[in-house]
Amino acid sequence: MTVIIARLGDGLSRRTRVLLAALFVVLLVAPWVANDYLVTVLILVLYLAYTGQAWNIMMGFAGQLSLGHAIYVGLGAYISATLFTRFGVGPWLGFLAAIPVAAACGAIIGFLAFRFGVAGVYFAILTIAFAEFARIGFDHLGIVNASAGLFLPVSQYTHNDLWRLRGDPTLFYYVILAATVLAFMLCRILLKSRIGYFWLAIREDEQAARAAGVDTFRYKMYAVMISAAVTSFAGVFYAFFYNNLFPEQVFSIVRSVEIILGPIIGGVGTLFGPILGAFLLTSLAEALSSAMTAFGVDLPGAKQVFYGICLLIVIVALPDGVWPPLARMLGVKRPGK
């Protein structure tokens, strides 16, 4: 434990540690001063920050672009929800069951791609294809009610039940906050480890890494499988927070795009970028929705257009994302260094 704590703090300046501690304290006390709407918005922010961190392991660290990450969210959601509704198995045990399934799915995708030289855009297309296969398959799978949707029982609870993930929004807020903090810690530990240095070498120049003796196939497989396993918890959380699952929604390409927007806006390959990107996108999108409601404007698809505009601005003006220049302004080290 001491070694882990030391590794987490290694290379962080005093100012960085103070800012991280302050942010954590603010997030910790937020539900005490915020109303239910703001707590729900913060849950969405942290959910996107968590999934962004999980995707960042695969793309930001190892350089493998996935546009079908919704498949791992869907697997985690359906496995945990099915075990809960059919057999009464709690969500945490369901998560333990989802981890190997999601990792195995990632291993299959990775093996087919890396063994046969599928890379770049073609690898991204392969991930989309697998997500679509999953959507079609679950759309016809009777045990999960196919296209009719899988619904979790909703009851009025006099107290929060952490074991069964039943309760008010505050319970879910602290669960996803803890998950996001743990994902951040995991990513930092991985990035500072031997495997992290190999991933960065592969990301920068795979041929040079292979010439230097790095087993690129093995370490790319590690990246895909770890990213898939971590992402599966997002599906467990999604299922028990929203209490309904439809293949068309869970495995949708839109879901995958939502996952990657945070890291791209905040900064791909950075540790804090996915968190900052999730905060910026979600808060600005909610502000836009509130403004449209206040003025009585109803424009279908306005949020998607807004996301596209944000993405365009960042790509043109800040190709490395928002976090690297902001980190320099704050006088802290760039994450990942």
Side-chain angles (χ1 to χ4, degrees):
M1 180 62 70
T2 304
V3 175
I4 293 176
I5 293 175
R7 181 169 293 182
L8 283 172
D10 182 37
L12 293 179
S13 65
R14 179 183 177 85
R15 177 176 295 184
T16 302
R17 297 179 186 183
V18 170
L19 290 175
L20 285 175
L23 175 61
F24 180 70
V25 170
V26 169
L27 291 175
L28 204 60
V29 302
W32 302 352
V33 297
N35 56 31
D36 287 344
Y37 170 73
L38 288 178
V39 170
T40 303
V41 172
L42 287 173
I43 289 173
L44 178 59
V45 168
L46 292 172
Y47 173 83
L48 292 176
Y50 176 86
T51 53
Q53 287 281 12
W55 179 82
N56 204 32
I57 294 173
M58 191 169 168
M59 173 59 190
F61 298 169
Q64 308 305 308
L65 176 60
S66 170
L67 296 180
H69 240 56
I71 188 173
Y72 309 122
V73 176
L75 289 174
Y78 270 103
I79 290 172
S80 60
T82 303
L83 289 175
F84 183 75
T85 56
R86 302 288 185 182
F87 308 105
V89 177
W92 300 107
L93 294 179
F95 173 46
L96 294 179
I99 288 175
V101 176
C105 179
I108 293 171
I109 296 174
F111 180 84
L112 291 175
F114 306 144
R115 182 58 70 187
F116 298 102
V118 178
V121 174
Y122 300 104
F123 176 75
I125 294 173
L126 181 64
T127 62
I128 295 175
F130 267 83
E132 281 298 294
F133 291 155
R135 181 188 64 80
I136 296 170
F138 277 84
D139 208 35
H140 295 82
L141 194 59
I143 194 173
V144 296
N145 292 338
S147 59
L150 180 62
F151 296 87
L152 278 69
V154 180
S155 304
Q156 295 296 327
Y157 286 84
T158 56
H159 65 280
N160 291 323
D161 187 349
L162 179 61
W163 177 249
R164 296 170 64 85
L165 274 185
R166 304 282 85 188
D168 57 33
T170 302
L171 169 69
F172 288 94
Y173 173 83
Y174 283 115
V175 168
I176 195 62
L177 174 60
T180 304
V181 171
L182 290 174
F184 180 86
M185 294 168 61
L186 173 64
C187 287
R188 177 163 175 79
I189 291 171
L190 288 172
L191 200 55
K192 289 295 182 179
S193 67
R194 178 185 179 90
I195 191 174
Y197 292 124
F198 285 162
W199 282 343
L200 295 180
I202 293 171
R203 183 191 71 184
E204 296 303 319
D205 192 330
E206 184 173 344
Q207 291 184 351
R210 189 182 299 112
V214 177
D215 188 342
T216 57
F217 175 80
R218 175 191 297 180
Y219 287 100
K220 286 193 296 183
M221 289 290 290
Y222 287 162
V224 174
M225 293 173 67
I226 293 173
S227 180
V230 174
T231 305
S232 66
F233 176 74
V236 178
F237 182 86
Y238 180 96
F240 284 80
F241 181 66
Y242 289 105
N243 297 308
N244 62 81
L245 296 171
F246 294 91
E248 189 67 32
Q249 295 178 352
V250 179
F251 294 103
S252 169
I253 182 66
V254 175
R255 190 72 56 195
S256 294
V257 172
E258 288 177 350
I259 291 174
I260 72 175
L261 281 177
I264 292 176
I265 298 297
V268 175
T270 66
L271 287 172
F272 197 71
I275 300 174
L276 177 62
F279 268 95
L280 289 176
L281 277 176
T282 306
S283 58
L284 291 175
E286 289 299 321
L288 175 63
S289 298
S290 298
M292 290 175 58
T293 302
F295 287 101
V297 178
D298 183 17
L299 295 175
K303 184 176 291 187
Q304 286 70 27
V305 173
F306 172 75
Y307 285 159
I309 293 174
C310 290
L311 190 60
L312 179 63
I313 292 173
V314 168
I315 290 175
V316 173
L318 299 168
D320 293 328
V322 176
W323 174 242
L326 180 60
R328 289 192 292 270
M329 290 175 57
L330 294 174
V332 300
K333 284 188 175 183
R334 291 183 58 171
K337 291 190 175 181

